[in-house]
Amino acid sequence: MKAMILAAGKGTRVRPLTYDLPKPMIPILGKPVMAYLVEHLSRYGITEIMVNVSYLHEKIEEYFGEGHQFGVQIGYSFEGYTNDAGEVVPEPLGSAGGMKKIQEFGNFFDETTIVLCGDALIDLDIKSALFEHRRKGALASVITLEVPWDKVSSYGVVVSDADGRIRAFQEKPAQPDALSNCVSTGIYIFEPEVLELIPSDRPFDIGSELFPLLVEKGLPFYAQKRNYNWIDIGSVKDYWEVLQSVLMGEVAQLDVPGIQIDDGLWVGLNTSIDWSGGTRIEGPVYIGSGSRIEAGATIIGPTWIGHGSHVCAGAEVVRSVLFEYTRVLPGVVLDEMIVFKDYSVDRAGEMRHASQYEPDAWANARDRRNRRRAEMSTQLRAVK
């Protein structure tokens, strides 16, 4: 069995994280979400993996290389071109179109292949799913999961008969219109013959184009209803909730890294915490390597503080996620926030730039200038 990971999208719903990272590189416990997928495939003996890339492709390729550190082989298919100015221009071909390009180039899909979206954590029993796929003689299978009826409008709904044969799809239907509460999880099993149905002259999508075509032609196309953990990072709000759940220990097989030095407190290497002056840390909290917590700071979990960060005296960080090298300035309160470089996103998904805060709430911890930018601007104006 082979695998393909879909990793060419821009991840617009997860901005600002995807301003600088492709969505599969968004970290969970300090490790890209796609790394968990590669490790999961490797555990099932799936060692030949193709990845279609486009937006910020170099970030994925530089991290994973050819896959040797994971015990697998990874190949890449870039979707885009170089313009007259020598600039690389991403140009996604659609999920199915990306598969077609790979097939035409080197005939990769010459046996049963599992296709996965690169932005979700899963613990699917792949061996069992493959057994059911073959037992039914399926040409294509979709792994589905039941969700609460009030959530169906957020997903692609799969409508199937008692035997699992797929009869129709509904793309994010309103709850009263939904014919099922089984949704596609973006995990598919395909036989090579499926590739023959994909056109090569235009972008083509798996969910909205290939699947309806399979239904229309009456081909053996089945849904598999499975109970397993599927954690989809569809939005920044989802990401915040996922990390909260992970830190609370609610996600199996995901352990907080570092060394546990107190109840609910994990730290990386060479972390400095000044416990004088009323410093208060209530777990679960992870503080990354090389981070500094000054006296009088308050950190309330679930909170993740990335490596190289600096929480100044009197600052409060409550149920938040700070990416690496974040300096929270004195007296600032961050409550249920994600801070990524120059941006913050609150629990509701509202994004703000650092310049919108008065005075500045955070800075780059690698910047040795200790004064707030507002103060520096005032002094510069006075000099002029």
Side-chain angles (χ1 to χ4, degrees), residues 11-165:
T12 55
R13 292 197 298 143
V14 199
R15 290 174 177 168
L17 307 184
T18 48
Y19 283 153
D20 190 59
L21 289 173
K23 197 175 179 185
M25 291 298 293
I26 292 175
I28 302 290
L29 297 184
K31 185 165 67 175
V33 62
M34 186 174 136
Y36 291 101
L37 281 176
V38 172
E39 291 170 346
H40 190 66
L41 291 169
S42 179
R43 280 194 289 270
Y44 281 89
I46 301 172
T47 58
E48 296 180 61
I49 304 169
M50 280 298 300
V51 183
N52 70 325
V53 294
S54 186
Y55 177 69
L56 296 176
H57 64 98
E58 67 281 358
K59 298 288 182 75
I60 296 174
E61 295 173 25
E62 288 170 1
Y63 184 91
F64 289 94
E66 294 191 9
H68 302 310
Q69 70 271 39
F70 297 95
V72 301
Q73 290 179 289
I74 298 178
Y76 303 94
S77 176
F78 174 71
E79 298 176 10
Y81 61 93
T82 302
N83 63 20
D84 293 338
E87 300 168 327
V88 175
V89 181
E91 189 176 60
L93 302 173
S95 49
M99 294 174 62
K100 187 69 171 184
K101 179 185 177 183
I102 292 169
Q103 185 71 348
E104 290 182 333
F105 184 83
N107 196 38
F108 176 77
F109 301 100
D110 57 357
E111 60 179 271
T112 307
T113 300
I114 185 169
V115 178
L116 314 93
C117 293
D119 57 1
L121 293 173
I122 64 169
D123 63 359
L124 174 71
D125 185 337
I126 296 177
K127 183 178 180 180
S128 178
L130 178 60
F131 177 82
E132 182 176 339
H133 171 83
R134 289 176 170 165
R135 179 177 62 81
K136 290 184 175 179
L139 197 64
S141 297
V142 180
I143 310 302
T144 67
L145 198 65
E146 289 189 357
V147 300
W149 281 95
D150 62 350
K151 302 290 186 183
V152 293
S153 60
S154 299
Y155 301 100
V157 169
V158 181
V159 182
S160 58
D161 60 22
D163 189 39
R165 189 144 186 159

Side-chain angles (χ1 to χ4, degrees), residues 247-370:
L247 288 167
M248 291 294 290
E250 297 171 355
V251 180
Q253 301 177 341
L254 287 183
D255 298 322
V256 179
I259 300 171
Q260 186 170 5
I261 63 170
D262 202 349
D263 186 26
L265 175 59
W266 291 263
V267 299
L269 290 175
N270 202 36
T271 296
S272 172
I273 303 175
D274 187 340
W275 290 100
S276 64
T279 300
R280 182 163 66 106
I281 300 178
E282 297 180 8
V285 168
Y286 173 78
I287 301 173
S289 62
S291 293
R292 178 186 177 191
I293 312 300
E294 290 187 1
T298 298
I299 304 172
I300 307 297
T303 286
W304 173 277
I305 296 177
H307 65 263
S309 293
H310 180 186
V311 180
C312 295
E316 295 184 25
V317 181
V318 181
R319 293 184 294 277
S320 295
V321 179
L322 309 184
F323 274 61
E324 62 272 13
Y325 295 107
T326 300
R327 175 184 285 124
V328 185
L329 299 174
V332 167
V333 177
L334 296 178
D335 190 350
E336 297 189 344
M337 302 279 279
I338 296 173
V339 175
F340 177 71
K341 295 191 174 180
D342 290 335
Y343 294 90
S344 73
V345 185
D346 64 17
R347 183 177 181 177
E350 181 181 350
M351 180 173 66
R352 298 176 70 185
H353 189 270
S355 61
Q356 295 177 261
Y357 288 85
E358 284 294 341
D360 292 338
W362 70 89
N364 187 330
R366 288 169 287 200
D367 187 344
R368 294 186 179 181
R369 296 170 295 180
N370 292 320

Side-chain angles (χ1 to χ4, degrees), residues 140-213:
S141 297
V142 180
I143 310 302
T144 67
L145 198 65
E146 289 189 357
V147 300
W149 281 95
D150 62 350
K151 302 290 186 183
V152 293
S153 60
S154 299
Y155 301 100
V157 169
V158 181
V159 182
S160 58
D161 60 22
D163 189 39
R165 189 144 186 159
I166 294 175
R167 300 302 181 188
F169 284 89
Q170 293 178 290
E171 184 60 27
K172 298 180 179 179
Q175 183 179 341
D177 301 326
L179 300 176
S180 167
N181 68 332
C182 287
V183 303
S184 170
T185 59
I187 304 174
Y188 322 116
I189 301 175
F190 292 136
E191 295 302 318
E193 293 83 355
V194 171
L195 277 295
E196 298 172 8
L197 302 174
I198 303 172
S200 56
D201 58 345
R202 62 185 177 88
F204 204 71
D205 184 67
I206 291 176
S208 63
E209 295 178 285
L210 178 59
F211 285 169
L213 184 60

